[in-house]
Amino acid sequence: MKISEYLLKEVKPIWDKYLEHPFVKGIGNGSLPKEKFKGYLIQDYLYLKEYSKVFCMGVIKAKTMDEMRFFYKSIKGTMEDETAVHIEYLKKFGIKEKEIEIMDMHLVTTSYISYMQALALTGDLEDIVATTLPCTWSYNYIGRYLKDKYADCLEDNYYKAWIDTYASEGYSEFTDAWIDYIDNICADITDEKKEKIEDIFIKSSLYELQFWDMAYKNL
Protein backbone atom coordinates (compact mmCIF):
# COMPACT_ATOMS: atom_id res chain seq x y z
CA MET A 1 0.00 0.00 0.00
CA LYS A 2 1.32 3.45 -0.92
CA ILE A 3 1.89 5.84 1.97
CA SER A 4 -0.80 8.19 0.60
CA GLU A 5 -3.37 5.38 0.59
CA TYR A 6 -2.40 4.45 4.13
CA LEU A 7 -2.62 8.04 5.38
CA LEU A 8 -6.00 8.65 3.73
CA LYS A 9 -7.34 5.50 5.38
CA GLU A 10 -6.12 6.73 8.78
CA VAL A 11 -7.63 10.23 8.49
CA LYS A 12 -10.82 9.47 6.57
CA PRO A 13 -13.01 9.63 9.71
CA ILE A 14 -11.61 13.12 10.38
CA TRP A 15 -11.95 14.26 6.78
CA ASP A 16 -15.51 13.03 6.58
CA LYS A 17 -16.26 15.33 9.51
CA TYR A 18 -15.20 18.20 7.27
CA LEU A 19 -17.90 17.26 4.77
CA GLU A 20 -20.59 17.30 7.48
CA HIS A 21 -19.29 20.43 9.17
CA PRO A 22 -21.90 23.23 9.24
CA PHE A 23 -19.39 25.72 7.83
CA VAL A 24 -18.54 23.50 4.86
CA LYS A 25 -22.17 22.53 4.30
CA GLY A 26 -23.09 26.21 4.43
CA ILE A 27 -20.61 26.92 1.66
CA GLY A 28 -22.04 24.06 -0.38
CA ASN A 29 -25.69 25.05 -0.12
CA GLY A 30 -25.03 28.78 0.03
CA SER A 31 -26.56 29.30 3.47
CA LEU A 32 -23.38 30.27 5.33
CA PRO A 33 -23.66 33.79 6.82
CA LYS A 34 -21.35 36.09 4.89
CA GLU A 35 -19.85 37.57 8.06
CA LYS A 36 -18.62 34.13 9.06
CA PHE A 37 -17.09 33.68 5.63
CA LYS A 38 -15.39 37.09 5.90
CA GLY A 39 -13.80 36.10 9.20
CA TYR A 40 -12.68 32.79 7.74
CA LEU A 41 -11.15 34.48 4.67
CA ILE A 42 -9.10 36.84 6.84
CA GLN A 43 -7.75 34.02 8.99
CA ASP A 44 -7.11 31.79 5.99
CA TYR A 45 -5.26 34.57 4.17
CA LEU A 46 -3.04 35.08 7.22
CA TYR A 47 -2.59 31.32 7.43
CA LEU A 48 -1.60 31.00 3.75
CA LYS A 49 0.97 33.76 4.13
CA GLU A 50 2.75 31.75 6.85
CA TYR A 51 2.02 28.40 5.17
CA SER A 52 4.03 29.60 2.15
CA LYS A 53 7.08 29.95 4.42
CA VAL A 54 6.90 26.22 5.20
CA PHE A 55 7.40 25.52 1.49
CA CYS A 56 10.34 27.95 1.56
CA MET A 57 12.03 25.61 4.03
CA GLY A 58 11.37 22.83 1.53
CA VAL A 59 13.40 24.77 -1.05
CA ILE A 60 16.23 25.15 1.45
CA LYS A 61 16.25 21.46 2.39
CA ALA A 62 15.67 20.09 -1.12
CA LYS A 63 18.43 17.89 -2.48
CA THR A 64 17.97 18.50 -6.21
CA MET A 65 17.02 21.35 -8.52
CA ASP A 66 13.87 19.45 -9.48
CA GLU A 67 12.81 19.32 -5.84
CA MET A 68 13.60 23.00 -5.42
CA ARG A 69 11.43 23.82 -8.43
CA PHE A 70 8.64 21.63 -7.03
CA PHE A 71 8.55 23.51 -3.73
CA TYR A 72 8.95 26.84 -5.50
CA LYS A 73 5.85 26.12 -7.61
CA SER A 74 3.93 25.52 -4.40
CA ILE A 75 5.08 28.83 -2.96
CA LYS A 76 4.01 30.62 -6.14
CA GLY A 77 0.72 28.69 -6.35
CA THR A 78 -0.18 29.51 -2.75
CA MET A 79 0.84 33.16 -2.79
CA GLU A 80 -0.57 34.04 -6.20
CA ASP A 81 -3.26 31.56 -7.22
CA GLU A 82 -4.86 30.35 -4.01
CA THR A 83 -4.93 33.73 -2.29
CA ALA A 84 -6.47 35.32 -5.40
CA VAL A 85 -9.94 33.98 -4.59
CA HIS A 86 -9.60 35.27 -1.02
CA ILE A 87 -8.61 38.74 -2.22
CA GLU A 88 -11.54 38.94 -4.66
CA TYR A 89 -14.06 38.00 -1.99
CA LEU A 90 -12.52 40.38 0.55
CA LYS A 91 -12.75 43.22 -1.98
CA LYS A 92 -16.51 42.65 -1.94
CA PHE A 93 -16.40 43.20 1.82
CA GLY A 94 -14.46 46.43 1.30
CA ILE A 95 -11.24 45.02 2.77
CA LYS A 96 -7.93 45.69 1.05
CA GLU A 97 -5.05 43.25 1.01
CA LYS A 98 -2.77 45.59 2.96
CA GLU A 99 -5.40 45.87 5.69
CA ILE A 100 -5.41 42.10 6.21
CA GLU A 101 -1.64 42.08 6.71
CA ILE A 102 -1.93 43.94 10.02
CA MET A 103 -4.88 41.97 11.40
CA ASP A 104 -4.42 39.52 14.27
CA MET A 105 -4.32 35.78 13.87
CA HIS A 106 -6.74 33.73 15.94
CA LEU A 107 -5.24 31.36 18.51
CA VAL A 108 -6.05 28.32 16.36
CA THR A 109 -4.41 29.89 13.32
CA THR A 110 -1.31 30.75 15.32
CA SER A 111 -1.09 27.29 16.86
CA TYR A 112 -1.50 25.49 13.54
CA ILE A 113 1.11 27.64 11.80
CA SER A 114 3.54 27.35 14.70
CA TYR A 115 3.27 23.56 14.55
CA MET A 116 3.97 23.47 10.81
CA GLN A 117 6.83 25.94 10.89
CA ALA A 118 8.50 24.16 13.82
CA LEU A 119 8.41 20.91 11.86
CA ALA A 120 9.78 22.67 8.79
CA LEU A 121 12.69 24.08 10.78
CA THR A 122 13.60 20.94 12.71
CA GLY A 123 12.44 18.14 10.43
CA ASP A 124 13.24 16.79 6.98
CA LEU A 125 11.45 16.94 3.63
CA GLU A 126 9.18 14.04 4.57
CA ASP A 127 8.05 15.94 7.67
CA ILE A 128 7.39 19.09 5.65
CA VAL A 129 5.25 17.21 3.14
CA ALA A 130 3.38 15.34 5.88
CA THR A 131 2.39 18.55 7.66
CA THR A 132 1.44 20.58 4.54
CA LEU A 133 -0.35 17.92 2.49
CA PRO A 134 -3.52 17.65 4.64
CA CYS A 135 -4.34 21.29 3.83
CA THR A 136 -3.88 20.92 0.08
CA TRP A 137 -5.41 17.48 -0.21
CA SER A 138 -8.39 18.00 2.10
CA TYR A 139 -9.41 21.22 0.34
CA ASN A 140 -9.46 19.35 -2.95
CA TYR A 141 -11.38 16.55 -1.19
CA ILE A 142 -13.94 19.09 0.05
CA GLY A 143 -14.12 21.10 -3.17
CA ARG A 144 -14.76 18.10 -5.37
CA TYR A 145 -17.36 16.77 -2.95
CA LEU A 146 -19.25 20.07 -2.84
CA LYS A 147 -19.04 20.51 -6.61
CA ASP A 148 -20.65 17.11 -7.09
CA LYS A 149 -23.20 17.23 -4.26
CA TYR A 150 -24.52 20.70 -5.06
CA ALA A 151 -24.04 20.61 -8.84
CA ASP A 152 -27.69 21.50 -9.51
CA CYS A 153 -27.73 24.68 -7.42
CA LEU A 154 -24.26 26.22 -7.72
CA GLU A 155 -24.92 28.95 -10.27
CA ASP A 156 -26.61 31.29 -7.78
CA ASN A 157 -24.39 30.27 -4.87
CA TYR A 158 -22.34 33.17 -3.47
CA TYR A 159 -19.55 30.70 -2.71
CA LYS A 160 -19.35 29.19 -6.19
CA ALA A 161 -15.94 30.76 -6.93
CA TRP A 162 -14.50 29.22 -3.76
CA ILE A 163 -15.87 25.77 -4.64
CA ASP A 164 -14.71 26.07 -8.25
CA THR A 165 -11.18 26.94 -7.12
CA TYR A 166 -10.69 23.85 -4.97
CA ALA A 167 -12.56 21.51 -7.32
CA SER A 168 -10.78 22.76 -10.44
CA GLU A 169 -8.70 20.58 -12.72
CA GLY A 170 -5.65 22.72 -12.01
CA TYR A 171 -5.95 22.40 -8.24
CA SER A 172 -6.64 18.66 -8.56
CA GLU A 173 -3.46 18.25 -10.64
CA PHE A 174 -1.53 20.25 -8.06
CA THR A 175 -2.87 17.97 -5.32
CA ASP A 176 -2.10 14.80 -7.28
CA ALA A 177 1.47 15.98 -7.79
CA TRP A 178 1.92 16.29 -4.03
CA ILE A 179 0.37 12.87 -3.43
CA ASP A 180 2.79 11.36 -5.94
CA TYR A 181 5.66 13.20 -4.28
CA ILE A 182 4.97 11.85 -0.79
CA ASP A 183 4.61 8.35 -2.25
CA ASN A 184 8.01 8.70 -3.90
CA ILE A 185 9.99 10.15 -1.01
CA CYS A 186 8.41 7.80 1.52
CA ALA A 187 8.71 4.63 -0.58
CA ASP A 188 11.57 3.19 1.49
CA ILE A 189 11.08 4.75 4.92
CA THR A 190 11.44 2.74 8.11
CA ASP A 191 8.48 1.69 10.24
CA GLU A 192 9.55 4.24 12.84
CA LYS A 193 9.54 7.03 10.26
CA LYS A 194 6.17 5.87 8.95
CA GLU A 195 4.71 6.22 12.44
CA LYS A 196 6.08 9.75 12.67
CA ILE A 197 4.64 10.69 9.26
CA GLU A 198 1.28 9.28 10.29
CA ASP A 199 1.33 11.26 13.55
CA ILE A 200 2.16 14.50 11.73
CA PHE A 201 -0.49 13.91 9.06
CA ILE A 202 -3.18 13.19 11.67
CA LYS A 203 -2.26 16.23 13.78
CA SER A 204 -2.41 18.55 10.76
CA SER A 205 -5.77 17.02 9.80
CA LEU A 206 -7.07 17.70 13.31
CA TYR A 207 -5.83 21.28 13.06
CA GLU A 208 -7.83 21.60 9.85
CA LEU A 209 -10.94 20.50 11.74
CA GLN A 210 -10.21 23.03 14.49
CA PHE A 211 -9.88 25.70 11.81
CA TRP A 212 -13.38 24.93 10.52
CA ASP A 213 -14.69 24.98 14.11
CA MET A 214 -13.03 28.33 14.73
CA ALA A 215 -14.44 29.79 11.52
CA TYR A 216 -17.98 28.72 12.38
CA LYS A 217 -18.11 29.39 16.12
CA ASN A 218 -15.79 32.26 16.85
CA LEU A 219 -15.58 34.53 13.81
Side-chain angles (χ1 to χ4, degrees), residues 20-170:
E20 294 303 315
H21 198 283
F23 192 95
V24 173
K25 290 175 75 172
I27 289 176
N29 61 30
S31 67
L32 182 72
K34 291 180 182 179
E35 280 300 305
K36 287 185 181 292
F37 191 61
K38 180 178 77 172
Y40 156 79
L41 288 171
I42 292 168
Q43 289 302 307
D44 202 43
Y45 179 94
L46 294 170
Y47 164 84
L48 289 172
K49 176 185 172 185
E50 298 301 317
Y51 177 72
S52 299
K53 296 177 185 179
V54 181
F55 291 128
C56 292
M57 286 304 301
V59 173
I60 292 170
K61 296 188 176 186
K63 300 177 181 68
T64 67
M65 286 290 283
D66 279 345
E67 280 188 319
M68 290 174 69
R69 291 188 189 99
F70 188 70
F71 279 94
Y72 169 74
K73 287 178 182 177
S74 294
I75 298 166
K76 184 176 182 295
T78 302
M79 292 179 65
E80 296 182 10
D81 301 330
E82 191 170 358
T83 57
V85 69
H86 293 62
I87 292 167
E88 286 304 309
Y89 272 113
L90 287 166
K91 282 180 181 177
K92 296 177 183 178
F93 289 110
I95 302 174
K96 297 177 181 178
E97 190 174 358
K98 288 184 178 179
E99 293 175 314
I100 310 170
E101 296 273 354
I102 59 173
M103 292 181 178
D104 292 331
M105 284 197 290
H106 190 280
L107 182 61
V108 170
T109 313
T110 303
S111 179
Y112 189 8
I113 282 299
S114 296
Y115 175 70
M116 300 175 91
Q117 291 183 347
L119 280 169
L121 286 168
T122 61
D124 53 24
L125 287 176
E126 289 88 346
D127 297 339
I128 291 173
V129 180
T131 195
T132 56
L133 185 54
C135 177
T136 300
W137 193 356
S138 70
Y139 267 62
N140 187 234
Y141 187 83
I142 291 167
R144 292 169 71 172
Y145 171 82
L146 295 180
K147 183 89 170 181
D148 180 63
K149 183 174 178 62
Y150 299 99
D152 295 335
C153 55
L154 278 182
E155 287 307 313
D156 297 323
N157 187 335
Y158 180 78
Y159 306 110
K160 181 179 184 297
W162 188 95
I163 296 170
D164 285 344
T165 296
Y166 293 109
S168 69
E169 183 178 349

Side-chain angles (χ1 to χ4, degrees), residues 175-186:
T175 303
D176 289 342
W178 273 102
I179 293 170
D180 289 342
Y181 183 65
I182 197 171
D183 285 337
N184 289 333
I185 65 170
C186 292

